[in-house]
């Protein structure tokens, strides 16, 4: 059977994955701290019918060989950590990292996870938690009576002001984790990313130091998904899918022709 | 097609061994064989086109072109030559693909004919672009795990947490300080490059290398495949129609021979 049929099928499969990735980006266009994923493709192995420089029958050495590709495949889906759109909010606990780095959270199973989503809340014990309820690491406890105002400085220090006593007290410092290769982190849903062997170990630092970003208060970082770019990607993916299906049809019709040879 | 279907010798390095026939003596097998060659060549052209289309969205992919060496010859025998040698050479079209800007600073693309030198599994490979990542040791690697090579071996940032900037001449800066310069090479004849899969190329020993002064390294851009979907679709249609015609020719030829056999018996 003609190899080209499978080659074109691999092209269709690749575009299918491409559409899946784009659809996921579009679905998360309003997810705080979401980083868009980029699917990267590569060409598949080549069938070498004749090596470049091989001797032909007439004794010449061919300048170029005969290598025919076998299609395309997915090589990686990479998170692109460009900054997202910053949105001003009225909540004192909406924090954004302006620059590089992640908030570190403690999962109930003792594992650490990392997120760019700084829409924080206070739990029943007055601890700073993410929207899913995971505690910030190191934990910060705020005695939050309704009339107290919380302020977070760019360097991560959290202080609480008591308007009655007219005092300001520091309650802790938010730390920011950085990775050598953030793109190598594993995404685990729930806006959380995990450390892997290829991401390297996290380096915790106070915001603004060692190249980490600073903390912005009353700001939420939205996704860095650009709808127009994703839609353009969707269109090109659809067209590429179409032409590959067309290649399969042509191959099929050629085979049908060949089958008519013997009647 | 049939009247001319006679032996033309093997000067194009044909796949099958055919004894050169005395000139102008019609060989009854010639026509059938010529058509069979044509059919095989068309199938190969189809495979090449399918491979180009499958990689329509593969960054840095360079399209393949099935070319018959007999193209330039003008004698009346060339039709058979061409049929025999159709796609006997598959060359790669190394023309520049469109550069699309990307907000991702880890994307590197090249403008010009150069290639980035990459060391993968201890072997030297060449690439038209890369998604550059920093491994936990601070070394610049590309998405397949190969190390990007500078003028003096792999490029290492001051610390794994440093960011890097790549200038147009390939100079890599990390935290403002120069940490190396990407090795960009061009080949006198890029056709000697062999595809190693994964967008990487392998150069044979002794491949002639020239400096790639004019090649610019562009950070935050990706080079699209230089395959033009419309051209490939036209190629598909042409292949299909020629294939049809070749099949029909074969049936006619077989019909003729059948009649010849009947009349002589």
């Amino acid at each position: 059977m003609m190899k080209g049929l499978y080659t074109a099928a691999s092209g269709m499969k690749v575009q299918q994955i491409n559409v899946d990735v784009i659809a996921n980006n579009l679905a998360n266009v309003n997810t705080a701290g979401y980083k868009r994923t980029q699917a990267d493709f590569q060409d598949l192995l080549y069938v070498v019918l004749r090596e470049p420089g091989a001797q032909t029958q007439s004794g010449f050495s061919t300048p170029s060989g005969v290598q025919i590709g076998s299609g395309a495949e997915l090589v990686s889906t990479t998170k692109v950590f460009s900054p997202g759109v910053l949105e001003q909010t009225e909540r004192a606990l909406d924090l954004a990292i302006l620059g590089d780095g992640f908030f570190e959270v403690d999962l109930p199973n003792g594992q650490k996870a990392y997120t760019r989503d700084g829409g924080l809340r206070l739990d029943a014990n007055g601890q700073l938690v993410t929207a899913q309820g995971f505690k910030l690491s190191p934990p910060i406890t705020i005695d939050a009576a309704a009339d107290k105002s919380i302020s977070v400085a760019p360097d991560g220090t959290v202080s609480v002001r008591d308007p009655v006593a007219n005092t300001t007290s520091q309650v802790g410092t938010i730390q920011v984790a950085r990775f050598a290769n953030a793109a190598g982190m594993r995404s685990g849903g729930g806006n959380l990313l995990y450390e892997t062997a290829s991401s390297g170990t996290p380096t915790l630092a106070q915001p603004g130091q060692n190249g980490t970003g600073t903390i912005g208060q009353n700001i939420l970082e939205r996704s860095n998904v650009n709808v127009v770019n994703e839609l353009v990607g969707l269109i090109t993916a659809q067209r590429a899918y179409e032409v590959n299906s067309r290649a399969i049809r042509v191959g099929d019709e050629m085979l049908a022709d060949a089958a008519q040879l013997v009647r | 097609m049939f009247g001319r279907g006679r032996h033309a010798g093997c000067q194009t390095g044909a796949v099958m061994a055919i004894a050169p026939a005395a000139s102008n003596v019609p060989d009854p097998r010639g026509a059938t064989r010529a058509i069979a060659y044509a059919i095989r060549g068309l199938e190969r052209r189809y495979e090449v086109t399918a491979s180009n289309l499958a990689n329509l969205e593969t960054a840095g992919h360079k399209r393949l072109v099935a070319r018959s060496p007999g193209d330039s010859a003008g004698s009346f025998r060339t039709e058979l030559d061409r049929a025999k040698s159709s796609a006997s050479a598959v060359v790669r079209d190394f023309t520049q693909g469109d550069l699309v800007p990307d907000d991702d600073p880890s994307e590197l693309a090249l403008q010009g004919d150069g290639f980035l030198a990459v060391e993968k599994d201890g072997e030297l490979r060449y690439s038209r672009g890369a998604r550059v990542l920093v491994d936990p040791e601070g070394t610049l690697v590309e998405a397949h795990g190969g190390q990007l090579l500078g003028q003096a071996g792999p490029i290492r940032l001051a610390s794994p947490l440093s960011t890097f900037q790549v200038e147009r001449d390939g100079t890599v800066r990390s935290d403002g300080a120069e940490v190396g310069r990407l090795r960009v090479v061009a080949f006198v004849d890029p056709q000697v490059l062999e595809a190693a899969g994964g967008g990487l190329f392998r150069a044979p020993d002794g491949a002639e290398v020239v400096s790639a002064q004019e090649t610019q390294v562009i950070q935050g851009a990706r080079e699209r495949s230089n395959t033009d979907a419309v051209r490939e679709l036209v190629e598909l249609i042409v292949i299909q129609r020629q294939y049809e015609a070749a099949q029909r020719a074969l049936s006619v030829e077989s019909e003729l021979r059948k009649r010849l056999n009947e009349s002589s018996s």
Side-chain angles (χ1 to χ4, degrees):
Chain A
M1 276 298 175
M2 268 188 275
K3 190 169 75 72
L5 289 174
Y6 299 97
T7 307
S10 81
M12 287 179 80
K13 205 171 130 201
V14 150
Q15 292 312 325
Q16 230 165 22
I17 297 169
N18 202 1
V19 169
D20 289 349
V21 169
I22 293 170
N24 187 47
N25 284 342
L26 284 172
N28 283 297
V29 71
N30 270 326
T31 306
Y34 177 80
K35 295 295 171 199
R36 73 183 174 88
T37 307
Q38 166 93 46
D40 288 328
F41 307 114
Q42 64 177 23
D43 46 358
L44 271 172
L45 281 175
Y46 283 75
V47 176
V48 179
L49 299 173
R50 189 171 69 221
E51 294 280 352
Q55 293 271 314
T56 63
Q57 220 165 17
S58 34
F60 292 111
S61 159
T62 51
S64 56
V66 181
Q67 294 184 75
I68 299 179
S70 327
E73 67 174 348
L74 184 73
V75 52
S76 67
T77 54
T78 324
K79 286 249 174 245
V80 178
F81 285 93
S82 61
V85 178
L86 298 175
E87 188 192 340
Q88 201 79 33
T89 65
E90 299 298 312
R91 283 187 67 240
L93 287 178
D94 279 345
L95 308 179
I97 299 174
L98 310 175
D100 211 3
F102 299 88
F103 295 110
E104 192 181 58
V105 298
D106 282 316
L107 299 186
N109 62 8
Q111 224 188 333
K112 303 260 189 218
Y114 302 87
T115 181
R116 291 276 299 182
D117 176 8
L120 302 181
R121 306 191 176 8
L122 289 178
D123 70 359
N125 306 321
Q127 284 198 321
L128 272 182
V129 295
T130 63
Q132 296 95 338
F134 301 130
K135 288 185 183 59
L136 223 55
S137 161
I140 293 170
T141 311
I142 298 173
D143 172 25
D147 53 349
K148 285 180 182 167
S149 65
I150 301 163
S151 69
V152 182
D155 66 356
T157 40
V158 184
S159 38
V160 178
R161 187 178 153 75
D162 186 339
V164 185
N166 201 12
T167 55
T168 307
S169 53
Q170 269 193 26
V171 292
T173 305
I174 293 173
Q175 300 269 309
V176 171
R178 277 185 80 206
F179 289 87
N181 175 22
M185 293 169 83
R186 181 170 63 82
S187 347
N191 276 358
L192 297 177
L193 295 161
Y194 298 90
E195 177 193 337
T196 64
S198 77
S199 72
T201 49
T203 313
L204 278 173
Q206 195 169 350
Q209 283 177 5
N210 294 336
T212 54
T214 55
I215 304 286
Q217 199 182 5
N218 298 325
I219 302 173
L220 264 189
E221 185 187 11
R222 292 286 175 203
S223 75
N224 64 350
V225 176
N226 181 322
V227 178
V228 177
N229 283 353
E230 298 297 329
L231 288 179
V232 169
L234 207 55
I235 292 170
T236 54
Q238 189 192 358
R239 292 295 168 230
Y241 192 79
E242 220 171 282
V243 292
N244 277 294
S245 75
R246 171 83 213 184
I248 290 182
R249 204 159 78 213
V250 167
D252 176 40
E253 285 167 13
M254 281 165 73
L255 278 179
D257 279 342
Q260 280 181 2
L261 267 183
V262 184
R263 270 171 302 180
Chain B
M1 188 164 186
F2 300 104
R4 299 174 188 171
R6 60 187 65 136
H7 267 305
C10 309
Q11 63 266 63
T12 52
V15 187
M16 263 167 104
I18 310 168
S23 60
N24 296 333
V25 178
D27 181 335
R29 299 165 304 170
T32 323
R33 200 164 276 158
I35 301 166
Y37 273 125
I39 288 173
R40 201 194 304 173
L42 285 166
E43 281 176 1
R44 201 167 288 170
R45 266 170 72 189
Y46 167 71
E47 280 161 15
V48 166
T49 310
S51 144
N52 286 339
L53 286 175
N55 285 295
L56 208 52
E57 294 295 316
T58 304
H61 180 257
K62 298 289 169 198
R63 65 189 274 266
L64 294 170
V65 188
R67 180 173 292 167
S68 44
D71 272 358
S72 52
S75 81
F76 74 96
R77 286 172 170 174
T78 52
E79 231 167 296
L80 179 56
D81 280 348
R82 198 176 301 158
K84 276 199 298 195
S85 56
S86 185
S88 71
V90 177
V91 292
R92 198 175 278 276
D93 175 1
F94 280 100
T95 51
Q96 175 81 37
D98 291 340
L99 289 177
V100 258
D102 196 307
D103 57 353
D104 183 4
S106 66
E107 298 260 20
L108 291 187
L110 295 181
Q111 165 100 56
D113 348 301
F115 294 84
L116 290 172
V118 173
E119 190 182 317
K120 196 183 173 215
D121 305 328
E123 287 184 66
L124 199 54
R125 297 277 184 273
Y126 299 93
S127 166
R128 274 296 294 177
R131 178 184 286 285
V132 185
L133 305 168
V134 184
D135 78 358
E137 271 89 57
T139 315
L140 293 186
V141 294
E142 50 95 48
H144 302 92
Q147 291 181 326
L148 282 175
L149 291 182
Q151 305 294 336
I155 295 180
R156 223 172 156 150
L157 303 185
S159 111
L161 295 178
S162 308
T163 54
F164 64 91
Q165 293 82 41
V166 182
E167 285 168 14
R168 295 235 162 178
D169 65 352
T171 309
V172 182
R173 283 179 193 283
S174 170
D175 299 333
E178 192 177 322
V179 289
R181 185 152 163 249
L182 290 170
R183 199 196 297 173
V184 182
V185 290
F187 292 88
V188 176
D189 176 18
Q191 296 303 334
V192 300
L193 291 175
E194 238 178 287
L200 298 174
F201 295 100
R202 185 189 305 130
D205 294 337
E208 272 184 279
V209 173
V210 286
S211 82
Q213 293 288 334
E214 289 90 52
T215 305
Q216 296 191 334
V217 184
I218 296 163
Q219 190 176 16
R222 59 166 52 213
E223 185 186 4
R224 296 195 58 205
S225 163
N226 63 353
T227 302
D228 175 7
V230 176
R231 185 168 49 189
E232 301 295 331
L233 279 178
V234 170
E235 171 80 357
L236 270 186
I237 295 169
V238 170
I239 293 167
Q240 191 184 5
R241 295 296 164 228
Q242 289 186 353
Y243 197 79
E244 249 171 55
Q247 304 283 12
R248 206 157 296 153
L250 206 53
S251 334
V252 171
E253 207 270 347
S254 129
E255 188 64 29
L256 282 177
R257 193 166 305 172
K258 191 174 149 208
R259 272 193 224 156
L260 189 68
N261 286 347
E262 282 167 0
S263 63
S264 61
S265 61

